[in-house]
Every structure is written in C-alpha cells, then in structure tokens.
Coordinates of all heavy atoms in Angstrom, one line a residue:
I235 N 19.5 -38.1 -29.9 CA 20.1 -36.9 -29.4 C 20.1 -37.0 -27.9 O 19.0 -37.4 -27.2 CB 19.2 -35.6 -29.8 CG1 19.2 -35.5 -31.3 CG2 19.7 -34.5 -29.2 CD1 18.3 -34.5 -31.9
T236 N 21.1 -36.6 -27.3 CA 21.2 -36.6 -25.9 C 21.5 -35.2 -25.3 O 22.5 -34.6 -26.0 CB 22.1 -37.6 -25.3 OG1 23.4 -37.3 -25.8 CG2 21.7 -39.0 -25.6
S237 N 21.2 -34.8 -24.3 CA 21.6 -33.6 -23.6 C 22.7 -34.0 -22.6 O 23.0 -35.1 -22.4 CB 20.4 -32.9 -23.0 OG 20.1 -33.6 -21.7
N238 N 23.1 -33.0 -21.8 CA 24.1 -33.3 -20.8 C 23.6 -34.1 -19.7 O 24.4 -34.8 -19.0 CB 24.7 -32.0 -20.2 CG 25.5 -31.2 -21.3 OD1 26.0 -31.8 -22.3 ND2 25.6 -29.9 -21.1
T239 N 22.2 -34.2 -19.5 CA 21.7 -34.8 -18.4 C 21.0 -36.1 -18.8 O 20.8 -37.0 -18.0 CB 20.8 -33.9 -17.6 OG1 19.8 -33.5 -18.6 CG2 21.5 -32.7 -17.0
Q240 N 20.4 -36.3 -20.1 CA 19.5 -37.3 -20.3 C 19.3 -37.4 -21.9 O 19.5 -36.5 -22.5 CB 18.2 -37.2 -19.6 CG 17.5 -36.0 -20.0 CD 16.1 -35.7 -19.3 OE1 16.2 -36.1 -18.1 NE2 15.3 -35.1 -19.8
A241 N 18.7 -38.5 -22.3 CA 18.3 -38.8 -23.7 C 17.0 -38.0 -23.7 O 16.2 -37.7 -22.9 CB 18.1 -40.2 -23.9
I242 N 16.8 -37.4 -25.0 CA 15.5 -36.7 -25.2 C 14.4 -37.7 -25.3 O 14.5 -38.8 -25.8 CB 15.6 -36.1 -26.7 CG1 16.6 -34.9 -26.7 CG2 14.2 -35.5 -27.1 CD1 16.8 -34.1 -28.0
P243 N 13.3 -37.5 -24.4 CA 12.3 -38.5 -24.0 C 11.4 -39.0 -25.2 O 11.1 -40.1 -25.2 CB 11.6 -37.9 -22.8 CG 11.7 -36.4 -23.1 CD 13.1 -36.2 -23.8
Y244 N 10.9 -38.2 -26.1 CA 10.0 -38.4 -27.0 C 10.3 -37.9 -28.4 O 10.5 -36.7 -28.5 CB 8.5 -38.0 -26.6 CG 8.2 -38.4 -25.2 CD1 8.4 -37.5 -24.1 CD2 7.7 -39.7 -24.9 CE1 8.0 -37.8 -22.8 CE2 7.4 -40.0 -23.6 CZ 7.5 -39.1 -22.6 OH 7.2 -39.4 -21.3
N245 N 10.3 -38.7 -29.4 CA 10.6 -38.2 -30.7 C 9.4 -38.6 -31.7 O 9.0 -39.8 -31.6 CB 11.9 -38.7 -31.3 CG 13.0 -38.2 -30.5 OD1 13.2 -37.0 -30.2 ND2 14.0 -39.1 -30.0
L246 N 8.9 -37.7 -32.5 CA 7.9 -38.0 -33.5 C 8.5 -37.6 -34.9 O 9.2 -36.7 -35.0 CB 6.7 -37.0 -33.2 CG 6.2 -36.9 -31.8 CD1 5.2 -35.8 -31.6 CD2 5.5 -38.3 -31.5
V247 N 8.3 -38.5 -35.8 CA 8.8 -38.3 -37.1 C 7.5 -37.7 -38.0 O 6.4 -38.3 -38.0 CB 9.3 -39.6 -37.9 CG1 9.6 -39.3 -39.3 CG2 10.3 -40.1 -37.0
C248 N 7.8 -36.6 -38.5 CA 6.7 -35.9 -39.3 C 7.3 -34.9 -40.2 O 8.4 -34.4 -39.9 CB 5.6 -35.3 -38.6 SG 6.2 -34.0 -37.3
D249 N 6.7 -34.7 -41.4 CA 7.2 -33.8 -42.4 C 8.7 -33.9 -42.6 O 9.5 -33.1 -42.8 CB 7.1 -32.3 -41.8 CG 5.7 -31.9 -41.6 OD1 4.8 -32.4 -42.4 OD2 5.4 -31.0 -40.7
T250 N 9.0 -35.2 -42.8 CA 10.4 -35.7 -43.1 C 11.5 -35.3 -42.1 O 12.6 -35.1 -42.3 CB 10.9 -35.2 -44.5 OG1 11.0 -33.8 -44.5 CG2 10.0 -35.7 -45.5
G251 N 11.0 -35.1 -41.0 CA 12.0 -34.6 -39.8 C 11.6 -35.2 -38.5 O 10.5 -35.8 -38.3
V252 N 12.4 -35.1 -37.5 CA 12.2 -35.5 -36.2 C 11.8 -34.4 -35.3 O 12.4 -33.4 -35.2 CB 13.3 -36.4 -35.6 CG1 13.1 -36.7 -34.1 CG2 13.7 -37.5 -36.4
K253 N 10.6 -34.5 -34.7 CA 10.1 -33.5 -33.7 C 10.1 -34.2 -32.3 O 10.0 -35.3 -32.1 CB 8.6 -33.1 -34.0 CG 8.4 -32.7 -35.5 CD 9.1 -31.4 -35.9 CE 8.7 -31.3 -37.4 NZ 9.6 -30.2 -38.0
S254 N 10.5 -33.3 -31.4 CA 10.6 -33.8 -30.0 C 9.6 -33.1 -29.1 O 9.3 -32.0 -29.3 CB 12.1 -33.5 -29.4 OG 13.0 -34.1 -30.2
V255 N 9.2 -33.9 -28.1 CA 8.2 -33.3 -27.2 C 8.8 -33.4 -25.8 O 9.4 -34.4 -25.4 CB 6.9 -34.2 -27.2 CG1 5.9 -33.8 -26.1 CG2 6.3 -34.3 -28.5
Y256 N 8.7 -32.3 -24.9 CA 9.2 -32.4 -23.5 C 8.2 -31.9 -22.7 O 7.3 -31.1 -22.9 CB 10.4 -31.4 -23.5 CG 11.4 -31.5 -24.6 CD1 11.4 -30.7 -25.8 CD2 12.3 -32.5 -24.4 CE1 12.3 -31.0 -26.8 CE2 13.3 -32.7 -25.5 CZ 13.3 -31.9 -26.7 OH 14.2 -32.1 -27.6
F257 N 8.3 -32.4 -21.4 CA 7.3 -32.1 -20.4 C 8.0 -31.5 -19.1 O 9.0 -32.2 -18.7 CB 6.5 -33.3 -19.9 CG 5.7 -33.9 -21.1 CD1 6.0 -34.8 -21.9 CD2 4.4 -33.2 -21.3 CE1 5.3 -35.3 -22.9 CE2 3.6 -33.7 -22.4 CZ 4.1 -34.7 -23.2
S258 N 7.7 -30.3 -18.7 CA 8.4 -29.7 -17.6 C 7.6 -30.0 -16.3 O 6.4 -30.0 -16.3 CB 8.5 -28.2 -17.8 OG 9.2 -27.6 -16.7
P259 N 8.3 -30.3 -15.1 CA 9.7 -30.2 -14.9 C 10.4 -31.5 -15.1 O 11.6 -31.6 -14.9 CB 9.7 -29.7 -13.3 CG 8.5 -30.3 -12.8 CD 7.4 -30.4 -14.0
D260 N 9.6 -32.5 -15.3 CA 10.3 -34.0 -15.3 C 11.3 -34.2 -16.3 O 12.3 -34.9 -16.0 CB 9.2 -34.9 -15.5 CG 8.3 -35.0 -14.4 OD1 8.6 -34.6 -13.3 OD2 7.1 -35.6 -14.6
D261 N 11.4 -33.5 -17.5 CA 12.3 -33.7 -18.6 C 13.5 -32.7 -18.6 O 14.3 -32.7 -19.5 CB 11.6 -33.6 -20.0 CG 10.6 -34.8 -20.1 OD1 10.9 -35.9 -19.5 OD2 9.8 -34.6 -20.9
D262 N 13.6 -31.8 -17.6 CA 14.7 -30.8 -17.4 C 14.7 -30.2 -18.7 O 15.8 -30.1 -19.4 CB 16.0 -31.6 -17.1 CG 17.2 -30.6 -16.8 OD1 16.9 -29.5 -16.5 OD2 18.3 -31.0 -16.8
V263 N 13.7 -29.6 -19.1 CA 13.6 -28.9 -20.4 C 14.6 -27.8 -20.6 O 15.2 -27.6 -21.6 CB 12.1 -28.2 -20.5 CG1 12.0 -27.4 -21.8 CG2 11.1 -29.3 -20.5
R264 N 15.0 -27.0 -19.4 CA 16.1 -26.0 -19.6 C 17.3 -26.6 -20.2 O 17.9 -26.1 -21.1 CB 16.2 -25.3 -18.3 CG 17.3 -24.2 -18.4 CD 17.9 -23.6 -17.1 NE 16.7 -23.1 -16.4 CZ 16.4 -23.4 -15.1 NH1 17.1 -24.3 -14.4 NH2 15.4 -22.8 -14.5
S265 N 17.7 -27.7 -19.6 CA 19.0 -28.3 -20.2 C 18.9 -28.7 -21.5 O 19.9 -28.6 -22.4 CB 19.5 -29.5 -19.2 OG 19.7 -29.0 -17.9
V266 N 17.9 -29.3 -21.9 CA 17.6 -29.8 -23.3 C 17.6 -28.6 -24.3 O 18.3 -28.6 -25.3 CB 16.2 -30.6 -23.5 CG1 16.0 -30.9 -24.9 CG2 16.3 -31.8 -22.6
L267 N 17.0 -27.5 -23.9 CA 16.9 -26.4 -24.8 C 18.3 -25.7 -24.8 O 18.7 -25.3 -25.9 CB 15.8 -25.3 -24.3 CG 14.4 -25.7 -24.4 CD1 13.6 -24.7 -23.8 CD2 14.1 -25.9 -25.9
L268 N 18.9 -25.5 -23.8 CA 20.3 -25.0 -23.9 C 21.2 -25.9 -24.7 O 22.1 -25.3 -25.5 CB 20.9 -24.8 -22.4 CG 20.3 -23.8 -21.5 CD1 20.8 -24.0 -20.1 CD2 20.6 -22.5 -22.1
Y269 N 21.1 -27.2 -24.7 CA 21.9 -28.0 -25.5 C 21.5 -27.7 -27.0 O 22.4 -27.6 -27.8 CB 21.7 -29.5 -25.1 CG 22.2 -30.4 -26.1 CD1 23.8 -30.7 -26.1 CD2 21.5 -31.0 -27.1 CE1 24.3 -31.6 -27.0 CE2 22.1 -31.9 -28.0 CZ 23.4 -32.1 -27.9 OH 24.0 -32.8 -28.9
L270 N 20.3 -27.8 -27.3 CA 19.9 -27.6 -28.7 C 20.2 -26.3 -29.2 O 20.7 -26.2 -30.4 CB 18.3 -27.9 -28.8 CG 17.8 -29.3 -28.5 CD1 16.3 -29.4 -28.4 CD2 18.4 -30.3 -29.5
I271 N 20.1 -25.2 -28.5 CA 20.4 -23.9 -28.9 C 21.9 -23.9 -29.1 O 22.4 -23.3 -30.2 CB 20.1 -22.8 -27.9 CG1 18.6 -22.7 -27.8 CG2 20.8 -21.5 -28.2 CD1 18.1 -21.9 -26.6
S272 N 22.8 -24.5 -28.4 CA 24.2 -24.4 -28.6 C 24.7 -25.2 -29.8 O 25.7 -25.0 -30.3 CB 25.0 -25.1 -27.2 OG 24.7 -26.5 -27.2
Q273 N 23.8 -26.2 -30.3 CA 24.2 -27.0 -31.3 C 23.7 -26.4 -32.7 O 24.1 -26.9 -33.7 CB 23.7 -28.4 -31.2 CG 24.2 -29.1 -30.0 CD 25.7 -29.2 -30.0 OE1 26.3 -29.7 -31.0 NE2 26.4 -28.7 -29.0
E274 N 22.7 -25.6 -32.7 CA 22.2 -25.1 -33.9 C 23.1 -24.1 -34.7 O 23.9 -23.4 -34.1 CB 21.0 -24.3 -33.6 CG 20.2 -23.8 -34.9 CD 19.9 -24.8 -35.9 OE1 19.2 -25.8 -35.4 OE2 20.2 -24.7 -36.9
T275 N 23.0 -24.4 -36.0 CA 24.0 -23.6 -36.9 C 23.3 -22.6 -37.9 O 24.0 -21.8 -38.5 CB 24.9 -24.4 -37.7 OG1 24.2 -25.2 -38.4 CG2 25.9 -25.3 -36.7
K276 N 21.9 -22.8 -38.0 CA 21.3 -22.1 -39.1 C 20.2 -21.1 -38.5 O 20.3 -19.9 -38.7 CB 20.6 -22.9 -40.1 CG 21.7 -23.8 -40.9 CD 21.0 -24.7 -41.9 CE 22.0 -25.4 -42.7 NZ 21.4 -26.4 -43.7
S277 N 19.2 -21.7 -37.9 CA 18.1 -20.8 -37.4 C 17.4 -21.4 -36.2 O 17.3 -22.6 -36.1 CB 17.1 -20.5 -38.5 OG 16.5 -21.7 -38.9
I278 N 16.9 -20.5 -35.3 CA 16.0 -20.8 -34.2 C 14.7 -20.1 -34.3 O 14.8 -18.8 -34.3 CB 16.7 -20.6 -33.0 CG1 18.1 -21.4 -32.8 CG2 16.0 -21.0 -31.7 CD1 19.0 -21.1 -31.7
R279 N 13.6 -20.6 -34.1 CA 12.3 -20.0 -34.1 C 11.7 -20.5 -32.9 O 11.4 -21.6 -32.8 CB 11.5 -20.3 -35.4 CG 12.4 -19.8 -36.6 CD 11.6 -20.3 -37.8 NE 10.6 -19.4 -38.1 CZ 9.6 -19.8 -39.1 NH1 9.7 -20.8 -39.8 NH2 8.5 -19.0 -39.2
I280 N 11.2 -19.5 -32.1 CA 10.5 -19.8 -30.8 C 9.2 -19.0 -30.7 O 9.2 -17.8 -30.9 CB 11.5 -19.5 -29.6 CG1 12.8 -20.3 -29.7 CG2 10.8 -19.6 -28.3 CD1 13.8 -19.8 -28.7
A281 N 8.2 -19.7 -30.2 CA 6.9 -19.1 -29.9 C 6.5 -19.4 -28.6 O 6.4 -20.6 -28.3 CB 5.9 -19.3 -30.9
M282 N 6.3 -18.5 -27.6 CA 5.9 -18.8 -26.3 C 5.0 -17.6 -25.8 O 5.1 -16.6 -26.2 CB 7.1 -19.1 -25.4 CG 8.0 -18.0 -25.2 SD 9.5 -18.3 -24.2 CE 10.3 -19.5 -25.2
F283 N 4.3 -17.9 -24.6 CA 3.5 -16.9 -24.0 C 4.4 -15.9 -23.2 O 4.3 -14.8 -23.4 CB 2.4 -17.5 -23.1 CG 1.6 -16.4 -22.5 CD1 0.7 -15.8 -23.1 CD2 1.8 -16.1 -21.1 CE1 -0.3 -14.9 -22.6 CE2 1.0 -15.1 -20.5 CZ 0.0 -14.6 -21.3
T284 N 5.2 -16.5 -22.6 CA 6.1 -15.5 -21.7 C 7.6 -16.0 -21.7 O 7.9 -17.3 -21.9 CB 5.6 -15.5 -20.2 OG1 6.4 -14.5 -19.6 CG2 5.6 -16.8 -19.6
F285 N 8.5 -15.1 -21.6 CA 9.9 -15.5 -21.7 C 10.7 -14.9 -20.4 O 10.7 -13.6 -20.4 CB 10.5 -15.0 -22.8 CG 11.8 -15.5 -23.2 CD1 12.1 -16.3 -24.3 CD2 13.0 -15.3 -22.3 CE1 13.3 -16.8 -24.6 CE2 14.2 -15.7 -22.7 CZ 14.4 -16.6 -23.8
T286 N 11.1 -15.6 -19.5 CA 11.6 -15.2 -18.2 C 13.0 -15.9 -17.8 O 13.4 -15.8 -16.6 CB 10.6 -15.3 -17.0 OG1 10.2 -16.7 -16.9 CG2 9.4 -14.5 -17.3
E287 N 13.5 -16.6 -18.7 CA 14.7 -17.4 -18.4 C 16.0 -16.8 -18.9 O 16.2 -16.8 -20.1 CB 14.5 -18.9 -19.0 CG 15.6 -19.8 -18.8 CD 16.0 -20.0 -17.3 OE1 15.1 -20.3 -16.5 OE2 17.1 -19.9 -17.0
R288 N 16.7 -16.2 -17.9 CA 18.0 -15.6 -18.2 C 19.0 -16.5 -19.0 O 19.6 -16.0 -20.0 CB 18.6 -15.0 -16.9 CG 18.0 -13.8 -16.4 CD 18.9 -13.2 -15.4 NE 18.2 -12.2 -14.6 CZ 18.1 -10.9 -15.1 NH1 18.8 -10.5 -16.1 NH2 17.5 -10.1 -14.3
K289 N 19.2 -17.7 -18.7 CA 20.2 -18.6 -19.3 C 19.7 -18.8 -20.8 O 20.6 -18.9 -21.7 CB 20.3 -19.9 -18.5 CG 21.1 -19.7 -17.2 CD 21.2 -21.0 -16.6 CE 22.0 -20.8 -15.2 NZ 22.2 -22.2 -14.5
L290 N 18.5 -19.0 -21.0 CA 18.0 -19.2 -22.3 C 18.1 -18.0 -23.2 O 18.6 -18.0 -24.3 CB 16.6 -19.7 -22.4 CG 16.3 -21.1 -22.0 CD1 14.8 -21.4 -21.8 CD2 17.0 -22.1 -22.7
A291 N 18.0 -16.8 -22.6 CA 18.1 -15.5 -23.3 C 19.6 -15.4 -23.7 O 19.8 -14.9 -24.9 CB 17.6 -14.4 -22.4
Q292 N 20.4 -15.8 -22.8 CA 21.9 -15.5 -23.1 C 22.4 -16.5 -24.2 O 23.0 -16.1 -25.1 CB 22.7 -15.7 -21.9 CG 24.2 -15.3 -22.1 CD 24.4 -13.9 -22.6 OE1 24.0 -13.0 -21.9 NE2 25.1 -13.7 -23.7
A293 N 21.8 -17.7 -24.2 CA 22.1 -18.7 -25.2 C 21.6 -18.3 -26.5 O 22.3 -18.4 -27.5 CB 21.5 -20.1 -24.7
L294 N 20.5 -17.6 -26.6 CA 20.0 -17.1 -27.9 C 20.8 -16.0 -28.4 O 21.1 -15.9 -29.6 CB 18.5 -16.7 -27.6 CG 17.4 -17.9 -27.5 CD1 16.2 -17.3 -27.2 CD2 17.4 -18.7 -28.7
I295 N 21.3 -15.1 -27.5 CA 22.2 -14.0 -27.8 C 23.5 -14.6 -28.3 O 24.0 -14.1 -29.4 CB 22.3 -13.1 -26.6 CG1 21.1 -12.4 -26.3 CG2 23.5 -12.1 -26.9 CD1 21.2 -11.6 -25.0
D296 N 23.9 -15.6 -27.7 CA 25.3 -16.2 -28.1 C 25.1 -16.8 -29.5 O 26.0 -16.7 -30.4 CB 25.7 -17.2 -27.2 CG 26.0 -16.6 -25.7 OD1 26.3 -15.5 -25.7 OD2 26.1 -17.4 -24.8
A297 N 23.9 -17.5 -29.7 CA 23.6 -18.2 -31.0 C 23.6 -17.1 -32.1 O 24.2 -17.3 -33.2 CB 22.4 -18.9 -30.9
Q298 N 22.9 -16.0 -31.8 CA 22.9 -14.9 -32.9 C 24.2 -14.3 -33.1 O 24.6 -14.1 -34.2 CB 22.0 -13.9 -32.4 CG 21.6 -12.8 -33.5 CD 20.6 -11.8 -33.1 OE1 20.5 -11.4 -31.9 NE2 19.8 -11.5 -34.1
S299 N 25.1 -14.3 -32.2 CA 26.5 -13.7 -32.2 C 27.3 -14.6 -33.2 O 28.2 -14.1 -33.8 CB 27.1 -13.6 -31.0 OG 26.5 -12.6 -30.1
R300 N 27.0 -15.9 -33.2 CA 27.8 -16.8 -34.0 C 27.1 -17.1 -35.5 O 27.5 -18.0 -36.2 CB 28.0 -18.2 -33.3 CG 26.9 -19.0 -33.0 CD 27.3 -20.3 -32.4 NE 26.2 -21.2 -32.3 CZ 25.2 -21.3 -31.3 NH1 25.5 -20.7 -30.1 NH2 24.3 -22.2 -31.3
G301 N 26.0 -16.1 -35.7 CA 25.5 -16.3 -37.0 C 24.1 -16.9 -37.3 O 23.7 -17.1 -38.3
V302 N 23.7 -17.5 -36.1 CA 22.4 -18.2 -36.2 C 21.3 -17.2 -36.2 O 21.3 -16.2 -35.5 CB 22.2 -19.1 -34.9 CG1 20.8 -19.7 -35.0 CG2 23.3 -20.1 -34.9
Q303 N 20.3 -17.3 -37.2 CA 19.2 -16.5 -37.3 C 18.2 -16.8 -36.2 O 17.7 -18.0 -36.1 CB 18.5 -16.6 -38.7 CG 17.3 -15.6 -38.7 CD 16.4 -15.8 -40.1 OE1 16.9 -16.6 -40.9 NE2 15.4 -15.1 -40.2
V304 N 17.9 -15.8 -35.2 CA 17.1 -16.2 -34.1 C 15.8 -15.3 -34.2 O 15.9 -14.0 -34.4 CB 17.7 -15.9 -32.7 CG1 16.9 -16.1 -31.5 CG2 19.1 -16.7 -32.7
E305 N 14.6 -15.9 -34.1 CA 13.3 -15.3 -34.0 C 12.6 -15.7 -32.8 O 12.4 -17.0 -32.7 CB 12.6 -15.6 -35.4 CG 13.2 -15.1 -36.6 CD 12.4 -15.6 -37.9 OE1 11.2 -15.6 -37.8 OE2 13.0 -16.0 -38.8
V306 N 12.1 -14.8 -32.1 CA 11.4 -15.1 -30.8 C 10.0 -14.4 -30.9 O 10.0 -13.1 -31.0 CB 12.0 -14.8 -29.5 CG1 11.2 -15.0 -28.3 CG2 13.4 -15.5 -29.6
V307 N 8.9 -15.0 -30.7 CA 7.6 -14.4 -30.7 C 7.0 -14.6 -29.3 O 6.9 -15.9 -28.9 CB 6.6 -15.0 -31.8 CG1 5.2 -14.4 -31.6 CG2 7.1 -14.9 -33.1
V308 N 6.5 -13.6 -28.5 CA 5.9 -13.7 -27.3 C 4.7 -12.9 -27.2 O 4.4 -12.1 -28.1 CB 6.9 -13.3 -26.1 CG1 8.1 -14.1 -25.9 CG2 7.4 -11.9 -26.3
D309 N 3.9 -13.2 -26.3 CA 2.7 -12.4 -26.1 C 3.0 -10.9 -25.9 O 4.0 -10.6 -25.3 CB 1.9 -12.9 -24.8 CG 0.5 -12.2 -24.6 OD1 -0.5 -12.6 -25.4 OD2 0.4 -11.4 -23.8
Q310 N 2.1 -10.1 -26.5 CA 2.2 -8.6 -26.4 C 2.4 -8.1 -24.9 O 3.2 -7.2 -24.7 CB 1.0 -8.0 -27.0 CG 1.1 -6.4 -27.0 CD 0.0 -5.7 -27.9 OE1 -0.7 -6.5 -28.5 NE2 -0.3 -4.6 -27.5
S311 N 1.9 -8.8 -23.9 CA 2.1 -8.3 -22.7 C 3.5 -8.4 -22.1 O 3.8 -7.8 -21.0 CB 1.1 -9.0 -21.6 OG 1.5 -10.5 -21.5
N312 N 4.5 -9.1 -22.8 CA 5.7 -9.2 -22.5 C 6.6 -8.3 -23.2 O 7.9 -8.5 -23.0 CB 6.2 -10.7 -22.7 CG 5.4 -11.6 -21.7 OD1 5.9 -11.8 -20.6 ND2 4.5 -12.4 -22.3
I313 N 6.1 -7.4 -23.9 CA 6.9 -6.5 -24.7 C 8.1 -5.8 -24.0 O 9.1 -5.5 -24.4 CB 6.1 -5.6 -25.6 CG1 6.9 -5.1 -26.7 CG2 5.6 -4.5 -24.7 CD1 6.2 -4.7 -27.9
Y314 N 7.9 -5.4 -22.7 CA 8.7 -4.7 -21.8 C 9.5 -5.6 -20.9 O 10.1 -5.1 -20.0 CB 7.9 -3.5 -21.1 CG 7.3 -2.6 -21.9 CD1 5.9 -2.5 -22.1 CD2 8.2 -1.7 -22.8 CE1 5.4 -1.6 -23.1 CE2 7.6 -0.9 -23.7 CZ 6.3 -0.9 -23.9 OH 5.7 0.0 -24.7
S315 N 9.4 -6.9 -21.0 CA 10.2 -7.9 -20.2 C 11.7 -7.5 -20.4 O 12.2 -7.3 -21.6 CB 9.9 -9.4 -20.7 OG 10.8 -10.2 -20.0
P316 N 12.5 -7.7 -19.3 CA 13.9 -7.4 -19.4 C 14.6 -8.5 -20.3 O 15.8 -8.4 -20.5 CB 14.4 -7.4 -18.0 CG 13.5 -8.2 -17.2 CD 12.0 -7.9 -18.0
Y317 N 14.0 -9.7 -20.5 CA 14.6 -10.9 -21.2 C 14.4 -10.6 -22.8 O 15.0 -11.3 -23.5 CB 14.0 -12.1 -20.7 CG 14.1 -12.2 -19.2 CD1 13.0 -12.0 -18.5 CD2 15.3 -12.5 -18.6 CE1 13.0 -12.1 -17.1 CE2 15.4 -12.5 -17.2 CZ 14.2 -12.3 -16.5 OH 14.3 -12.3 -15.2

C-alpha cells in the first residue's frame, strides 16, 4: 500500500490480516490516514486520546456520507471538542 507521499513503512501480519504501524512525525501519518480513510468502503473504527485534526475530521465525515460506518472513541475530556 502506498500513500500519495510514501510507502507504508511497517506491516505486521496477524489475525489473517495486515496491520500497519506508523510513527509521527517521520512517517507523515496525516497523509497516510487521509489516504486510508478515502479508500475504505465498509467501516472505520478509531480510538485515540484526543482528536484535533480538521482534515481528518472532514475525511471521516466524507466517508460516512458515502456509506462507510464510522466509529470514533476519544477520552471523555474531549467531549466538547469542535472536531
């Protein structure tokens, strides 16, 4: 798999699937995530402590608009975040 900027750096095979590992800022994680979100057709499940990235938020909204099931879990302290 490649993003617009680079190949995905690390792939792990487990549970009969490929899992990828990214490190920020060196792996340009934002571009990789935007690419993966744009390619998904079934579901996206995300868990993170905080969510503050407008481009990723819009990409998730766009994915949901095209029929992708989107689930995001964040820390309770972010419940009033504008994203």
